[in-house]
Amino acid sequence: QVQLVESGGGSVQTGESLTLSCAASGRTSSTDAMGWFRQAPGKEREFVAVISSSWSGGITYYADSVKGRFAIFRDYAKNTVYLQMNSLKPEDAAVYYCNRGNWRDRLKGMDYWGKGTLVTVSS
């Protein structure tokens, strides 16, 4: 099994930045993609961003709602993925979940999930 542990959530004001991290451990595969989803109260879980394995070139893909504001990157040696969030808006407030698995499932949710880290944005 794979374990994912998020960190870095917190409370910020509109326009500020925050960076989340997620460390993977256990039976990880070097071919796995890693990404982020988020879920706000009363709303469905939504895809945020994903990055592929080093073998496939670290390809990134973003939801339209965060494109140009967020950046996803990995430290492959540390088996860690990051989400740098800039120009945060109130609508970005949510629990952010780390996700890992096959690139094929990147938009619907890959096999492994973290427990989430809370991000709040006040105006």
Side-chain angles (χ1 to χ4, degrees):
Q1 291 287 341
V2 173
Q3 295 81 47
L4 303 174
V5 180
E6 303 98 333
S7 62
S11 181
V12 299
Q13 294 185 340
T14 298
E16 294 183 338
S17 299
L18 196 66
T19 299
L20 308 180
S21 64
C22 171
S25 61
R27 297 182 178 182
T28 59
S29 171
S30 62
T31 62
D32 282 351
M34 294 187 73
W36 295 89
F37 285 72
R38 66 187 183 187
Q39 187 168 28
K43 296 184 178 180
E44 294 184 345
R45 184 184 67 196
E46 66 173 343
F47 167 79
V48 176
V50 66
I51 182 167
S52 70
S53 70
S54 60
W55 303 104
S56 60
I59 300 166
T60 60
Y61 180 73
Y62 300 90
D64 288 342
S65 59
V66 306
K67 195 172 298 181
R69 297 189 298 119
F70 290 12
I72 187 169
F73 57 99
R74 294 173 76 165
D75 184 332
Y76 292 96
K78 293 183 177 180
N79 221 356
T80 299
V81 67
Y82 304 87
L83 183 67
Q84 182 176 296
M85 304 182 291
N86 300 315
S87 301
L88 282 161
K89 305 174 181 179
E91 51 262 46
D92 295 318
V95 176
Y96 283 71
Y97 295 93
C98 185
N99 188 219
R100 183 183 177 103
N102 196 306
W103 173 264
R104 177 179 178 177
D105 301 320
R106 63 195 180 278
L107 300 183
K108 72 176 183 65
M110 299 175 286
D111 285 348
Y112 301 101
W113 296 89
K115 293 183 178 180
T117 186
L118 179 64
V119 173
T120 61
V121 185
S122 61
S123 61

